[in-house]
Amino acid sequence: MITHKLFISVFSLFICFSSLAQTGAKSIPLIDKTKSYPEYKAKPDMDIKYVPLETSKDVLLGQDFRIYYLSDSLILGLNWNMGDVFFFNMEGKAISQFNQKDGLGYNRIGYAVYDNNAKEVYILDKVLRKIFVYTKDGTLKRSFKMPRNLTFVRIENFDNNLLLAFHEHAMGLIEPEQRNPYVFISKKDGSVVLQLNIHLDKANPRYLMSGNLCTTYGNTEEGNCKFGNEFYLSNKSMDTIYHLGRDQVLTPVFSQTPSVFSESHLISGIITSTDKFIVFHIYPFDLEKEKKRIETGNSMSGAYNSKYILFDKNTKQFYQLKNWNYPSDHLDAPANTCVRKLESYRLVEKYKLGLLIGELKEVASKLKVDDNPVVEITRFK
């Protein structure tokens, strides 16, 4: 009799915990990537500042120029193909630059991180599978190889001792060491300090190889995204989107349907996060379809059939956006801030056509077509 009562009690506890687990799972907002949500008509409250970057014979920024870091006083940008590293102040004046490509330096810049406390620049090189650490003037302080069987596509400045690194599976094959794609590595020697409790049994490939043809999509969400001091983890092989706190606590915050492995081939990634809302970019990632498009010479890429969804943090509701011009997922910037690079020749064209107003019109009136780009800094209130 006692055994019977004990069994009932344990079974009741099991039912209770199961119900709690199901309730907790349901409480996570679900992103339906095929649904048409109500249109978001409100205009976010924001301030916009424009910073024309210096143009000189020593400061020439190519089409490959990309901004990786922004603070209240500093802008870090790189010509990732040529290997140039530039620091600008908030007036657009170049205050430091270096290029350590080839020789004993990096071969190709895959990503870059700046640690303002240590005044160190971290250059991720996927070709050499190494991370190089430089001072602001280009003096090499140290370098270290990536862990065996891991090729990081992105690193983030997490704290004084750690980098958050993300490994993406290029061909979709997962070795045992690759099942945890997010790891903390030491800034001192690159050793793995901790694997985050995110486990993948399969992965969508980043590339499709067919003979000598390599097919991929550009400008898609790679994985971990840093917004101020917040981290959101999402990639092409996860249906759950996680929040990573400064205390290293990992929390599931969104789920998505259909699955990233379904025939819909739809992926969602966070591209903007503020105190008031989060914006998701939903886009198709069908490499077989893209391969056929290239082979047939069709100029329309499936990557353009994308949409943007806004999640209101206050109402917990999803809304459709007609478009979104404020991505902030590919750099380290203060909270509620996004950064865009505006090409000078396009601004000059728009100025001549009378399409610009306000501060941007004034900035464009002083530009030449071959000037370096203008940095647009948007701060959401």
Side-chain angles (χ1 to χ4, degrees):
M1 182 65 66
I2 295 175
T3 304
H4 179 64
K5 287 182 178 180
L6 179 61
F7 171 77
I8 292 175
S9 299
V10 172
F11 182 75
S12 299
L13 282 172
F14 174 76
I15 294 296
C16 178
F17 286 135
S18 297
S19 299
L20 285 173
Q22 290 174 4
T23 302
K26 291 180 180 178
S27 68
I28 300 175
L30 175 67
I31 308 164
D32 189 337
K33 294 175 285 189
T34 62
K35 183 177 178 179
S36 293
Y37 291 100
E39 182 181 340
Y40 188 77
K41 297 182 179 180
K43 184 177 181 181
D45 193 8
M46 65 184 78
D47 288 327
I48 301 179
K49 177 181 179 178
Y50 300 98
V51 181
L53 299 181
E54 171 191 346
T55 304
S56 68
K57 62 181 180 65
D58 297 319
V59 185
L60 296 175
L61 309 179
Q63 291 293 317
D64 61 334
F65 178 76
R66 180 171 162 185
I67 300 166
Y68 287 89
Y69 174 86
L70 176 105
S71 69
D72 292 334
S73 60
L74 203 62
I75 300 171
L76 167 65
L78 288 78
N79 288 334
W80 58 264
N81 189 36
M82 298 299 295
D84 302 309
V85 179
F86 295 95
F87 283 92
F88 299 91
N89 62 21
M90 296 310 291
E91 285 70 51
K93 174 72 175 178
I95 57 176
S96 179
Q97 65 186 89
F98 67 85
N99 188 323
Q100 299 293 359
K101 184 176 179 179
D102 299 327
L104 299 177
Y106 42 85
N107 179 278
R108 186 179 179 87
I109 296 173
Y111 206 78
V113 161
Y114 181 60
D115 181 341
N116 190 47
N117 290 326
K119 310 301 180 188
E120 292 179 337
V121 184
Y122 290 77
I123 302 292
L124 171 68
D125 188 329
K126 291 184 287 186
V127 176
L128 298 179
R129 299 187 63 255
K130 293 180 68 175
I131 295 174
F132 297 84
V133 187
Y134 296 95
T135 62
K136 285 174 64 176
D137 64 3
T139 301
L140 179 64
K141 297 185 68 173
R142 61 191 178 279
S143 66
F144 40 81
K145 291 186 176 181
M146 297 182 197
R148 191 174 75 89
N149 280 357
L150 293 181
T151 301
F152 300 138
V153 297
R154 185 154 172 171
I155 53 176
E156 298 287 359
N157 184 36
F158 188 79
D159 61 24
N160 291 337
N161 302 308
L162 300 175
L163 294 173
L164 174 64
F166 169 59
H167 165 85
E168 189 171 47
H169 305 82
M171 302 301 172
L173 303 175
I174 300 182
E175 299 295 332
E177 300 93 336
Q178 301 172 346
R179 294 185 184 276
N180 295 81
Y182 298 97
V183 299
F184 285 122
I185 63 173
S186 166
K187 286 183 173 179
K188 181 179 179 180
D189 58 15
S191 60
V192 175
V193 176
L194 178 68
Q195 293 181 332
L196 271 66
N197 190 27
I198 296 177
H199 183 89
L200 299 183
D201 291 318
K202 60 180 179 177
N204 282 318
R206 184 159 39 102
Y207 299 108
L208 176 64
M209 295 299 299
S210 178
N212 294 325
L213 177 66
C214 176
T215 303
T216 188
Y217 283 105
N219 301 319
T220 57
E221 285 58 64
E222 300 152 329
N224 41 302
C225 300
K226 184 178 182 182
F227 304 98
N229 287 321
E230 282 193 309
F231 294 84
Y232 285 100
L233 312 186
S234 63
N235 62 59
K236 302 179 187 71
S237 301
M238 294 195 324
D239 288 325
T240 302
I241 297 174
Y242 295 87
H243 177 270
L244 176 64
R246 301 298 299 178
D247 54 3
Q248 300 184 11
V249 172
L250 196 63
T251 306
V253 287
F254 295 98
S255 60
Q256 56 181 304
T257 186
S259 169
V260 294
F261 297 108
S262 70
E263 293 183 359
S264 70
H265 298 283
L266 289 175
I267 308 293
S268 70
I270 295 177
I271 60 171
T272 307
S273 177
T274 74
D275 293 340
K276 297 180 179 178
F277 59 83
I278 292 175
V279 176
F280 299 86
H281 182 205
I282 298 175
Y283 60 95
F285 195 84
D286 188 341
L287 292 178
E288 289 288 351
K289 184 177 180 180
E290 180 69 1
K291 175 176 173 289
K292 291 179 181 178
R293 181 195 70 80
I294 295 173
E295 291 174 343
T296 57
N298 187 344
S299 61
M300 292 301 294
S301 171
Y304 294 115
N305 298 322
S306 61
K307 61 182 179 180
Y308 300 95
I309 302 296
L310 182 143
F311 177 75
D312 188 309
K313 289 184 176 181
N314 182 39
T315 65
K316 310 300 182 185
Q317 298 296 315
F318 289 99
Y319 297 91
Q320 200 95 13
L321 291 168
K322 287 187 175 180
N323 53 56
W324 186 249
N325 295 320
Y326 308 101
S328 52
D329 61 320
H330 287 99
L331 78 159
D332 184 355
N336 302 307
T337 303
C338 73
V339 181
R340 279 201 305 170
K341 179 186 72 171
L342 304 178
E343 298 292 353
S344 288
Y345 74 91
R346 293 186 183 275
L347 293 177
V348 171
E349 290 175 357
K350 290 182 178 181
Y351 174 75
K352 291 180 178 179
L353 293 172
L355 301 177
L356 302 178
I357 59 173
E359 183 183 351
L360 186 55
K361 178 180 179 180
E362 182 179 351
V363 169
S365 69
K366 302 173 184 177
L367 294 176
K368 295 183 292 186
V369 292
D370 56 352
D371 277 347
N372 283 329
V374 174
V375 178
E376 179 188 73
I377 303 171
T378 303
R379 301 185 191 277
F380 294 96
K381 299 179 180 180

